[in-house]
Amino acid sequence: MTFEPRRTAHVLSRGSWAEARRIADILRKETIGGALLLAGALIALVWANSPWSGSYFSMLGFTFGPSALHLDLSVASWAADGLLAIFFFVAGLELKREFVAGDLRDPRRAAVPVAAAFGGVIVPALVYVAVNAGGATKGWAIPTATDIAFALAVLAVIGRYLPTALRTFLLTLAVVDDLLAIVIIAVFYTAHLSLLPLLAALIPLGLFTLLVQRRVRSWWLLLPLAFAAWTLVHASGVHATVAGVLLGFAVPVLRSRQAGGPEAGPGLAEHFEHRFRPISAGFAVPVFALMSAGVAIGGLSGLVTGLSDPVAVGIMAGLVIGKPIGITAATWLVARFTRARIDAGLAWIDVFGLSVLAGIGFTVSLLIGELAFGVGSELDGRVKVAVLAGSLVAALLAAVILRLRNRTYRRICEEESADRDGDDIPDVYQR
């Protein structure tokens, strides 16, 4: 009897060529979306602190929509409840695809980003609670979310040569992070629960699932059902973005056997992702940033007062300290107990650098801040200032760490792009 040598598990690896190519395409779209997000946030900040700030806050408070459906919402609420549902729909599609057909269907590959995401949620929450013990602990989840679009926009400037393994790690970490965020929102930030609308939401959700499982793509059938599910979830008291994730999970990833099976090309989830990711990254998230990032700072004294508040200190400490510690420690524990090793050419400083970059929290952090303290409240304003300040510090620290390794990343990038046999597949993926 012969025994095959046991393969060494890797904490970080570049994965397959198909997955690397798909993730590169996603990163390009999200990087553009990140630039638009930053533009929206900057416009909001300038507008909210300009002589025309009254028009900004009047716009946010403008209400429209059918009251009979409980949808007479302000512009700010439409942005948070409606536009972010598109963002979470895409997140649901991406997460399901990763675990059904992506490299993360292998439990050994999935263990690292999943553990890192949990560490990046638990430790920042503990840091926030420690700072605000006996105070405004309701905001514990604010520093737990990573904004992938914001992070990738920073990465486009400071880390053009970042190896595929690290880019994949950052993206999959952020996707799992989004799932944990929506679970937190559904469980901990549901103020009241109406069972009748929630049960009624199962009807359009079930019909949507039945149609997509039969590979129906007709928008005139699917969109009304999706809107009905979103409306009923919103009426139930559960945050409406939960409907986006559930709808994303309903879409099949693999092609049916009648359509040729998995080998015949991308499935319906990838088809929807190609359609909706540009809408999410290019419109939904930037508009949400425009509607949510505006806060009247009140000059230098107002900025100092806002940042010295325990809520703000807890958020900044969670993003800048809690995130790197949580992600790095969780990744190290996986390596320690599985005897895995980091891929060739990489080191633990690379993991720490990405962990610092993951401290950039924006979209979901602002959303949770609004849910925790109320839109337009004094604490909500301090949350916005703290999230922006903490994200800026995390970006600057990550820039320093990752730039120190730029020579190594350039060498790995050249190796990963070398195609000496001219078959359009880099040689490293054929070894």
Side-chain angles (χ1 to χ4, degrees), residues 404-423:
L404 290 174
R405 296 277 292 166
N406 200 51
R407 182 177 298 178
T408 300
Y409 296 157
R410 185 192 293 265
R411 177 179 55 78
I412 296 175
C413 183
E414 291 173 353
E415 181 184 350
E416 289 180 340
S417 59
D419 180 22
R420 296 176 181 85
D421 55 8
D423 62 353

Side-chain angles (χ1 to χ4, degrees), residues 316-376:
M316 291 186 292
L319 291 172
V320 178
I321 300 173
K323 271 286 186 182
I325 292 176
I327 292 172
T328 305
T331 306
W332 182 85
L333 287 172
V334 171
R336 176 69 176 82
F337 289 105
T338 62
R339 297 182 180 179
R341 64 180 178 83
I342 294 183
D343 209 8
L346 300 177
W348 281 106
I349 187 63
D350 302 316
V351 177
F352 182 73
L354 276 191
S355 301
V356 174
L357 187 66
I360 295 176
F362 192 80
T363 306
V364 180
S365 294
L366 294 179
L367 173 62
I368 295 176
E370 292 177 354
L371 296 175
F373 300 120
V375 178

Side-chain angles (χ1 to χ4, degrees), residues 144-148 151 170 173-174 177-178 323 327 357-362:
T144 62
T146 296
D147 193 295
I148 186 61
L170 178 62
L173 163 68
D177 188 287
D178 287 339
K323 271 286 186 182
I327 292 172
L357 187 66
I360 295 176
F362 192 80

Side-chain angles (χ1 to χ4, degrees), residues 257-290:
R257 288 297 172 190
Q258 293 84 348
E263 297 79 16
L268 195 57
E270 193 167 346
H271 170 76
F272 281 176
E273 189 183 330
H274 282 309
R275 284 195 171 187
F276 284 94
R277 186 176 292 279
I279 298 174
S280 172
F283 177 74
V285 173
V287 171
F288 171 78
L290 176 64

